[in-house]
Amino acid sequence: MTSPAITAAPVAAAPATHSSTKRFALGIFEDEDVLLHAIDNVRAAGVKIYEVFSPYPVHGIDDALGIERSRLPIAAFFYGLCGLSFALWMQIYMLGFDWPMIIGGKPNIALPAFIPVSFELTVFFTCHGMVITFYTISKLYPRFKTPVLDVRSTDDKFVMAIELDANSSQLPQLTQLLRENGASEVNQKEMTNF
């Protein structure tokens, strides 16, 4: 079953008052296998999928959506390097220059004695840096009301969100495409600050 290609309507400049409002076509799916097949077909038709929401992690959905591997491990390495550098600088400065003490006949700068504190600060900086970076990139800020496109995506349904242009005439074509690929229903929703 082949799907007709969807051509995007020309985008007109939206008024300044509605710049934070986005319109979405939501395809509701019952089964994860049908969803994965639909993602491939919708992307093959040239439609850009905004996001897919599911009640639990679905194996293979990142590859189907074309999401690249996260660069968060690179950030974690640099946070850990900062933590290790800070720990070594702090201990060398404190015990070597600021307040030198002879402890058990060891030299003031005894690197083997610095291993536990260095390890702990490396882990501390890495953990806190990764959490802050992840929440910032994911836009998971603390807020009073979290925007949800369809509440059923937290229960038992899979929701494919496709952003519509300001002057979109493609909703009937999207509805047909999503229904052909197994969507049980297709809705339209407008969200502000999403």
Side-chain angles (χ1 to χ4, degrees):
M1 172 170 55
T2 59
S3 301
I6 296 177
T7 56
V11 179
T17 57
H18 295 86
S19 62
S20 65
T21 300
K22 294 182 180 181
R23 287 181 23 202
F24 296 97
L26 305 178
I28 312 296
F29 294 86
E30 307 282 336
D31 184 45
E32 65 184 69
D33 293 329
V34 175
L35 172 73
L36 288 172
H37 184 66
I39 289 171
D40 291 336
N41 290 341
V42 169
R43 288 189 69 215
V47 177
K48 186 175 186 300
I49 298 172
Y50 180 78
E51 188 65 80
V52 175
F53 302 94
S54 69
Y56 53 84
V58 177
H59 180 69
I61 200 166
D62 292 345
D63 295 331
L65 287 170
I67 297 174
E68 296 177 7
R69 186 180 167 102
S70 173
R71 293 189 299 269
L72 199 56
I74 297 169
F77 174 76
F78 285 109
Y79 290 131
L81 195 60
C82 288
L84 178 65
S85 302
F86 177 73
L88 290 175
W89 171 82
M90 177 184 70
Q91 293 174 95
I92 290 170
Y93 174 73
M94 282 191 217
L95 293 174
F97 302 104
D98 186 40
W99 196 267
M101 293 188 289
I102 299 174
I103 301 171
K106 293 184 225 160
N108 290 340
I109 301 173
L111 291 179
F114 296 167
I115 290 174
V117 173
S118 300
F119 171 77
E120 293 298 330
L121 279 179
T122 301
V123 171
F124 181 83
F125 273 58
T126 303
C127 293
H128 286 79
M130 283 182 62
V131 166
I132 291 167
T133 303
F134 174 76
Y135 283 143
T136 303
I137 290 172
S138 301
K139 298 179 184 175
L140 294 173
Y141 317 120
R143 41 181 135 175
F144 293 110
K145 186 177 178 187
T146 303
V148 178
L149 284 173
D150 195 311
V151 143
R152 294 175 293 175
S153 67
T154 62
D155 187 19
D156 64 344
K157 304 286 188 222
F158 301 91
V159 179
M160 181 189 301
I162 299 171
E163 188 175 357
L164 299 171
D165 299 325
N167 296 328
S168 176
S169 61
Q170 63 187 5
L171 185 60
Q173 295 169 331
L174 279 174
T175 301
Q176 179 187 358
L177 178 65
L178 290 170
R179 289 228 184 248
E180 285 176 359
N181 287 293
S184 58
E185 61 183 90
V186 179
N187 303 323
Q188 182 179 353
K189 183 139 186 187
E190 229 174 77
M191 294 290 288
T192 55
N193 299 325
F194 190 73

